[in-house]
Amino acid sequence: MILLGVNIDHCATLRQARYRQMPVTVGGPIEPDPVTLAVLSERAGADGITVHLREDRRHIQDRDVVRLRETISTRLNLEMACTPAMIEYALKLKPDSVCLVPENRQEVTTEGGLDIVRNRDRVKACIDTMKAVGIKTSLFIDPDANQIELSAKLGAPWVELHTGAYANAYHTSARAKQLERLRVGATLAHELDLVVNAGHGISYVNISEVRTIPHLHELNIGHSILSRALFTGIEEAVREMKTRMNA
Ligand code: PXP
C-alpha cells in the first residue's frame, strides 16, 4: 500500500492571508487552524503530516510546528532548507523525518528539486547530523540518475522524487516522457536501497498514473487535497485520495 503524507501548508496560507499581523496563530477569530486540519486528516487515514517551515515564514509558523509535534499521532515530516539555522531547529523539534528542499524567496512554491551535486557537503553534513539523533533525512530531488546515485552515496535513507515536471506536462505531449523519467528514477533509487517517496503537483486526476511508478513508499500531497477539502471537507478529501492511490 502506498502511504499518504498530507502537506498542510496551504491551510496556513489561508490563515496568513487574513491574520498575518496577529501575534498568535490560533484562538479567537483566527482560522483555519492547520493543527485541527492535521488531526482530521489523520482521522481520515493520513499516514503522516508534512509542513514546510520556510525562511520567510509565509505560511507555516514556528508555533504551528511545535503544536503539531505535541498533537499529531502519526509522523511529522519537516520540509526545510539545508541551512545551519534549520538544522538547529530540527534538532530541537525532533520531527520523525526532515525533507531537504531548495528555497528561493521569489518562488511561489518549491519549483525544482534540491541539487545534491551542487550542495553535496552541506547535504551530507545534515544527513549525518540527523542520523546521529534518529531523524530520517529525505532528499527532494529531480528524478535524474546523478542526483539519485549521489543521494545513495551520501547515505540518505529516503528520496522524494519531484513530480512537478510530470504534473506540469500532464496535458501536453511531454507527459509520457516525464512519466518514464520518474519510472526509471524510482527503479534506480530502489536498486540503490533508497526508500522512494514522491511529491509535488499530484492530483485526483494524475494519481491514476502516478501510482503506477514502481516502488513508491509514500506520496506527499498538499494543494489538490486542500482544494478538494473546500468542497467536501478534509476527511472526505483524504479518504478519496487514499482510495485512488491504492485502487
Ligand atoms: N513535496 C515537497 C517536497 C513539497 O515542497 C511540496 C509543496 O511544494 C509538496 C510535496 C506538495 O506539493 P503539492 O502542494 O503540489 O501537492
Side-chain angles (χ1 to χ4, degrees):
M1 190 170 107
I2 304 171
L3 304 180
L4 172 63
V6 175
N7 181 314
I8 61 169
D9 291 350
H10 292 309
C11 180
T13 302
L14 189 57
R15 179 193 61 199
Q16 297 306 101
R18 174 61 53 100
Y19 295 110
R20 187 177 300 278
Q21 309 304 335
M22 296 289 261
V24 291
T25 56
V26 67
I30 301 173
E31 61 184 1
D33 178 23
V35 179
T36 305
L37 190 92
V39 171
L40 292 174
S41 299
E42 288 184 319
R43 202 156 80 182
D47 301 287
I49 301 296
T50 293
V51 285
H52 183 178
L53 187 66
R54 295 185 71 102
E55 189 194 2
D56 62 13
R57 303 298 196 266
R58 71 172 69 154
H59 39 53
I60 291 290
Q61 305 297 303
D62 297 57
R63 181 80 186 118
D64 295 323
V65 186
V66 172
R67 289 178 58 232
L68 282 167
R69 178 69 296 183
E70 289 167 352
T71 308
I72 66 170
S73 51
T74 57
R75 285 174 290 110
L76 178 61
N77 177 39
L78 178 68
E79 286 180 11
M80 61 180 219
C82 187
T83 61
M86 283 313 303
I87 291 170
E88 199 180 311
Y89 186 95
L91 289 174
K92 280 200 204 117
L93 179 77
K94 297 193 174 54
D96 298 279
S97 56
V98 296
C99 179
L100 299 185
V101 298
E103 227 177 80
N104 164 4
R105 273 172 187 271
Q106 311 306 326
E107 68 194 358
V108 176
T109 181
T110 312
E111 279 162 6
L114 179 65
D115 187 343
I116 307 300
V117 178
R118 271 184 57 197
N119 294 284
R120 180 186 178 125
D121 291 346
R122 52 201 198 111
V123 168
K124 170 79 178 140
C126 180
I127 293 169
D128 291 347
T129 306
M130 295 300 154
K131 210 173 260 178
V133 294
I135 299 172
K136 289 205 162 60
T137 301
S138 178
L139 304 178
F140 184 51
I141 53 170
D142 290 328
D144 296 329
N146 62 340
Q147 301 291 334
I148 294 165
E149 281 162 2
L150 189 55
S151 298
K153 202 165 163 195
L154 297 184
W158 293 355
V159 286
E160 180 171 329
L161 300 181
H162 194 315
T163 46
Y166 160 78
N168 289 340
Y170 190 78
H171 294 289
T172 76
S173 57
R175 166 172 155 196
K177 193 170 146 226
Q178 290 296 341
L179 184 62
E180 185 56 18
R181 186 177 166 215
L182 284 161
R183 287 208 174 109
V184 171
T187 304
L188 175 63
H190 178 72
E191 279 166 11
L192 294 171
D193 283 334
L194 290 159
V195 170
V196 184
N197 298 333
H200 202 92
I202 299 173
S203 71
Y204 291 86
V205 175
N206 66 29
I207 186 62
S208 61
E209 235 173 41
V210 169
R211 70 188 178 83
T212 66
I213 297 167
H215 311 298
L216 285 177
H217 173 70
E218 183 164 75
L219 298 176
N220 276 305
I221 310 178
H223 191 271
S224 68
I225 290 180
L226 273 279
S227 302
R228 175 70 62 110
L230 288 175
F231 301 105
T232 67
I234 187 66
E235 290 175 272
E236 179 56 27
V238 169
R239 271 195 295 270
E240 175 69 13
M241 184 58 86
K242 277 211 79 166
T243 302
R244 291 189 188 210
M245 282 164 59
N246 293 290

